[in-house]
Amino acid sequence: MALNIISNYAANLAHRNLLASDASATRSLAKLSSGTRVVSARDDAASMAIGARLNATAQALKTATVNVGQANSMLQIADGGMATIDDILVRMKTLAVQASSGNLSDTERGFLNDEFTQLRDEIDRISSSTNFNGIQLLGDGGDVSVNYANLNSAGLAEDLSPANGFDSIGITDNNYWATDANNNGVTDNQFKLHFVKVGNTVMLNVFTTIDGATDREQSIDVTDFATGGTRALTAGEKTTVNFDELGLTFDLNHNISTIIANAITLGSDGAGADGYATAQVIGGGATVGDNSTVQMLADNGQKLSDNISFQIGAGNTSNDRLAISFQSVDSSALGSGATGTEDGLDDLGANAISTAANAQNAVEVVTRAIDDLQRARANVGTYQNRLDFAGQNLATMLENVEEARSTLLDLDVAAEMTNFTSKQILVQSGVAMLAQANQMPQNLLRLLQG
C-alpha cells in the first residue's frame, strides 16, 4: 500500500469498525439494562407486535381477576344479609306457631304480633340497606323524603305549621313510600291529614295515596292531648305520634293542645278541628284535607337491578362477561311463592298474628317466605361457585399468556452477556488498532528527513 499524506486509509477503516463495534455493544448494553430482548422494533418487529398484544392481554386478565374477586365479595355481602333474614324468618315462624295456639288470650297474641310486625319491618330495612358500593343487592333502596318545599306555604300543607302544633314529619317506612308501580316517580305518593270529632273524642286521621290512588288510612285518638287533658303539652314540650301502618311520624308541640281543645268545644260530630261542618284540618279549604296534603320528593334511592354484568375476560364478547341476577327478599317478595302470585309477608297487615286464624295463615306465609329466601340464597351460591371456577381459569390463562410473552420478549441474560463481552473486546481492539493506524504516517517523516 502506498504511503501518502492526505489520506489515512488504515485509520478510516479502523474507525469504521470501531463505530460498528461500539453500536453493537451499546445495543447489547440496552438489552441487559432493560431485561428485554426487543428494545425497539429494529430488534424484532414481529415479536414486538405480538408481545405488545400479549402484554395488554395479561394486564386485562389481571384486572378481570380483580373483578371476579369483587363480584364474589358482592355476593358474599348479599348472602350475609340473607342469612340474617333467615334467622328473622325462623323467629317469625316461631311467633306465628305460638300465636296459633288456643291457650293464649288476645293480650298475649298482641305482644307476639308487635314483635312479628317489627321483625317484618326489619326484613325490609335489611333488604333496603344491604348494598355494595351503592348497588342494591336484596331490594330497592328507596330514599324518600317529605317535600318540605310545599309545607307552610300557600296551598299544599299550609296548615301543618308549628303554629298549628306540627313541628316536623318523618318517614319510617321507605319501602312503602318508594312505591312507584307506574314508573313516573313518587311525586304522586301523598298523604293528607285532618281531625274529626266523634262525641267528646278527637281523632287524628291520615289518608295515604300511592301512585295516585287512595291506599291506606289510620286514625289515632289524640283527645288526651287537649288543653286540660292528661297528656296536654305545655310550652316547650313535644311529643311524637307514630302512624306505624303508614310509615309516618308527626312531632307535635304545645300548640296542638289548643287545636284539639277547640275541636272538642266548637266542633260537632264529624266536624273538623276548626268547627266547620266537614272534617277539615285546622284552617280552611274547599276539600277535606286539601290544606294538609303533603307530597313525597322524587325517589333518589337505588333500585334493585334484574342483573349486574361483570367483566371477567379480556375481550369484548358475551363470553367475557357474566350477568348475575339478583332476587328481591323484602316483605313484599317473600311469601309470594315460586310463581309470585301468593300473598307475601306484607299482605298479612298490621294484625298479622293478632288472632289464632291470622296466626295460622301466617304460618303458611312464613313457610313460603323461608322457601323463597332459600331459592334466592341458592341462586347466590350458584354464582359464587361459578365465579370461583372463572377465577381459576383466569389464573391459568394469565400464567400461560405471561409465559408466551416471556418467550418472545424476555432476555436470555447469559447469552446476551456473552455477546456483550465479545463486543467489548472488539471495541477495545478497535481503539488499539486506530491508535496504531494513526502512527503509520510517522514513517513519512523519516523519508522527508532523509
Side-chain angles (χ1 to χ4, degrees):
M1 181 180 67
L3 294 177
N4 55 71
I5 297 175
I6 297 176
S7 299
N8 189 342
Y9 176 78
N12 290 337
L13 181 62
H15 180 259
R16 177 173 62 80
N17 288 327
L18 176 60
L19 289 178
S21 298
D22 184 67
S24 296
T26 300
R27 286 197 297 273
S28 183
L29 186 63
K31 293 178 182 179
L32 287 168
S33 60
S34 65
T36 179
R37 184 180 68 86
V38 184
V39 178
S40 63
R42 67 184 295 177
D43 297 322
D44 190 337
S47 293
M48 172 166 279
I50 298 172
R53 287 195 293 270
L54 290 174
N55 186 59
T57 300
Q59 297 305 315
L61 290 174
K62 290 178 181 178
T63 302
T65 302
V66 173
N67 291 345
V68 169
Q70 294 294 297
N72 249 326
S73 297
M74 177 182 287
L75 294 178
Q76 189 60 42
I77 291 174
D79 185 71
M82 285 189 284
T84 302
I85 293 176
D86 182 59
D87 293 338
I88 294 174
L89 289 174
V90 170
R91 176 58 180 169
M92 291 175 70
K93 185 168 184 179
T94 301
L95 294 172
V97 170
Q98 185 178 0
S100 298
S101 180
N103 63 299
L104 299 180
S105 69
D106 290 341
T107 300
E108 284 83 24
R109 285 196 185 91
F111 299 150
L112 299 176
N113 185 73
D114 289 341
E115 182 179 354
F116 188 94
T117 54
Q118 287 292 325
L119 291 175
R120 181 177 58 192
D121 291 342
E122 180 61 14
I123 289 176
D124 285 335
R125 190 197 67 80
I126 292 173
S127 65
S128 178
S129 61
T130 303
N131 65 79
F132 180 88
N133 194 31
I135 300 171
Q136 293 301 122
L137 303 178
L138 304 181
D140 293 340
D143 185 16
V144 185
S145 61
V146 173
N147 190 350
Y148 282 98
N150 287 332
L151 293 177
N152 309 326
S153 60
L156 295 176
E158 63 180 351
D159 288 340
L160 301 182
S161 64
N164 288 332
F166 294 89
D167 270 353
S168 63
I169 302 169
I171 295 176
T172 60
D173 188 351
N174 269 322
N175 286 317
Y176 175 67
W177 288 108
T179 301
D180 182 26
N182 52 16
N183 296 320
N184 64 345
V186 296
T187 54
D188 57 354
N189 294 345
Q190 306 171 347
F191 67 85
K192 59 184 178 181
L193 176 151
H194 65 257
F195 293 92
V196 173
K197 179 183 178 183
V198 181
N200 289 324
T201 300
V202 176
M203 306 297 294
L204 179 56
N205 290 358
V206 177
F207 297 86
T208 65
T209 299
I210 300 295
D211 284 332
T214 301
D215 190 65
R216 297 180 184 177
E217 176 185 1
Q218 187 176 358
S219 300
I220 293 180
D221 186 348
V222 292
T223 309
D224 290 341
F225 289 110
T227 302
T230 58
R231 301 172 65 187
L233 302 176
T234 59
E237 281 191 296
K238 294 182 181 181
T239 190
T240 299
V241 179
N242 183 15
F243 286 78
D244 55 341
E245 296 179 20
L246 312 181
L248 294 171
T249 59
F250 297 90
D251 289 338
L252 308 178
N253 62 36
H254 69 282
N255 291 324
I256 201 70
S257 296
T258 303
I259 299 299
I260 298 171
N262 289 340
I264 297 174
T265 304
L266 302 176
S268 58
D269 283 1
D274 50 10
Y276 279 71
T278 56
Q280 296 173 343
V281 181
I282 308 103
T287 306
V288 175
D290 61 357
N291 283 9
S292 70
T293 300
V294 180
Q295 290 180 332
M296 295 299 163
L297 285 173
D299 183 13
N300 297 319
Q302 295 288 333
K303 297 295 184 181
L304 177 66
S305 301
D306 291 334
N307 60 72
I308 300 175
S309 180
F310 291 93
Q311 184 75 23
I312 60 171
N316 187 33
T317 69
S318 59
N319 292 326
D320 294 297
R321 289 179 287 273
L322 175 62
I324 297 179
S325 61
F326 289 87
Q327 300 176 18
S328 178
V329 292
D330 58 17
S331 63
S332 62
L334 293 177
S336 60
T339 61
T341 57
E342 304 287 347
D343 288 341
L345 290 175
D346 62 342
D347 294 315
L348 295 174
N351 299 315
I353 57 173
S354 60
T355 67
N358 287 349
Q360 290 163 7
N361 179 56
V363 171
E364 289 188 24
V365 175
V366 175
T367 300
R368 287 200 304 270
I370 293 173
D371 291 339
D372 292 341
L373 181 67
Q374 299 316 309
R375 277 191 290 270
R377 290 193 72 181
N379 178 67
V380 168
T382 298
Y383 282 115
Q384 283 183 302
N385 288 334
R386 183 172 177 181
L387 284 170
D388 287 340
F389 285 112
Q392 294 174 18
N393 182 61
L394 285 173
T396 302
M397 288 179 61
L398 179 60
E399 178 183 337
N400 293 329
V401 167
E402 289 191 332
E403 174 63 23
R405 184 204 58 79
S406 175
T407 301
L408 286 171
L409 300 181
D410 287 354
L411 182 68
D412 184 342
V413 177
E416 191 60 36
M417 195 64 199
T418 301
N419 183 52
F420 176 65
T421 302
S422 174
K423 301 304 179 185
Q424 273 189 315
I425 294 173
L426 284 176
V427 169
Q428 294 171 5
S429 175
V431 170
M433 293 306 100
L434 180 59
Q436 293 295 326
N438 286 331
Q439 290 295 323
M440 291 179 65
Q442 298 298 324
N443 295 327
L444 293 174
L445 290 177
R446 295 190 185 95
L447 292 175
L448 293 174
Q449 291 172 358

